Amino acid sequence: MKYKINSLSRDLGQTIISMKSSWRIILLSSFFLCGLIIGAYVVKNNNSLLSNQLSDIISSAIKNKSNSDFLKTFTETFITDSVFLIISFILGLCAVGIPLISLIPFIKGFGIGITGAYVYSVYSIKGVCYCLFVFFPAQVLISAILIFACNESFYMSEDIFSTLNSGSIKEKNLVRLYLTRFGLLLLFTCFTALLDALLSTVFSSVFSLF
């Protein structure tokens, strides 16, 4: 019995230590989920907000994506997703960039939530199928990439702030590591854009909303 209690205490301690070391990921994921929920809530409870420009923007984006070929879809998706990544990268190089970095997952989640909820509310079952097979898969992956990118930016911004305060550099190769990691994240973003273009090409005609 004593062994079980000690084992449970050890496992609990390891879990707490793991959560402490991953608090940035947890925080950024929470911001993303908040954006997702708020975006869906806006559509559900304030349809008047979508009656004009916003609904036109979403409908136009879906129609444009459905009518685009593989290369055009890939290019547009890659550019759009890269913008978020670049903003995160730049903010990571600012000593006071952390508050703005935290907003990036929220904005991304809000966009996904409002688009997904709008498609479902307007197109019902066909909209659900479109989201499941065309919209969500790549969005889930790029959101995970973006959260990891913001986590790296978080670290970098903290290190720059600490360096400016203390006057001593913690890691000489800090910028090179930062560039390398974002280079890899940009490569993953490229693969995600390829997946999005592939799914759109294959399934858009099957689950056409127009």
Side-chain angles (χ1 to χ4, degrees):
M1 183 67 179
K2 184 178 180 181
Y3 172 77
K4 289 183 179 180
I5 293 174
N6 290 337
S7 179
L8 180 62
S9 299
R10 184 171 61 254
D11 291 342
L12 182 60
Q14 290 176 349
T15 301
I16 293 172
I17 292 172
S18 178
M19 289 181 66
K20 284 183 178 179
S21 64
S22 306
W23 70 269
R24 295 174 185 82
I25 291 289
I26 295 172
L27 178 65
L28 293 167
S29 299
S30 298
F31 275 111
F32 172 77
L33 289 174
C34 285
L36 199 67
I37 293 169
I38 292 173
Y41 180 83
V42 166
V43 174
K44 182 179 179 182
N45 295 279
N46 298 281
N47 289 329
S48 60
L49 294 176
L50 294 171
S51 59
N52 298 315
Q53 293 184 351
L54 192 54
S55 61
D56 290 340
I57 291 171
I58 295 174
S59 298
S60 176
I62 295 173
K63 185 181 292 185
N64 180 60
K65 188 173 184 178
S66 299
N67 295 332
S68 298
D69 58 19
F70 179 89
L71 183 58
K72 184 179 179 181
T73 301
F74 165 75
T75 303
E76 291 179 349
T77 301
F78 180 69
I79 291 173
T80 302
D81 293 338
S82 295
V83 167
F84 282 97
L85 210 63
I86 292 169
I87 292 173
S88 175
F89 176 83
I90 293 171
L91 290 174
L93 297 174
C94 301
V96 291
I98 289 176
L100 294 176
I101 293 169
S102 302
L103 287 177
I104 295 175
F106 176 85
I107 294 171
K108 183 64 176 177
F110 183 82
I112 294 173
I114 206 168
T115 303
Y118 172 78
V119 170
Y120 169 72
S121 65
V122 174
Y123 303 103
S124 190
I125 299 300
K126 186 182 286 189
V128 172
C129 293
Y130 178 86
C131 286
L132 288 176
F133 290 95
V134 180
F135 182 65
F136 283 151
Q139 290 301 317
V140 169
L141 291 176
I142 193 59
S143 297
I145 292 170
L146 189 61
I147 287 172
F148 279 107
C150 290
N151 184 55
E152 292 298 326
S153 299
F154 229 111
Y155 273 114
M156 189 65 177
S157 184
E158 279 185 337
D159 286 337
I160 291 174
F161 183 81
S162 176
T163 299
L164 291 175
N165 278 341
S166 63
S168 60
I169 301 175
K170 291 183 178 180
E171 175 63 56
K172 292 182 180 179
N173 297 322
L174 194 64
V175 175
R176 183 164 44 176
L177 287 170
Y178 189 64
L179 287 170
T180 301
R181 288 167 181 169
F182 264 87
L184 289 173
L185 290 171
L186 190 63
L187 184 61
F188 291 145
T189 301
C190 180
F191 287 135
T192 305
L194 284 171
L195 174 64
D196 185 59
L198 178 63
L199 292 176
S200 179
T201 303
V202 173
F203 292 111
S204 283
S205 58
V206 179
F207 304 111
S208 179
L209 302 180
F210 302 96

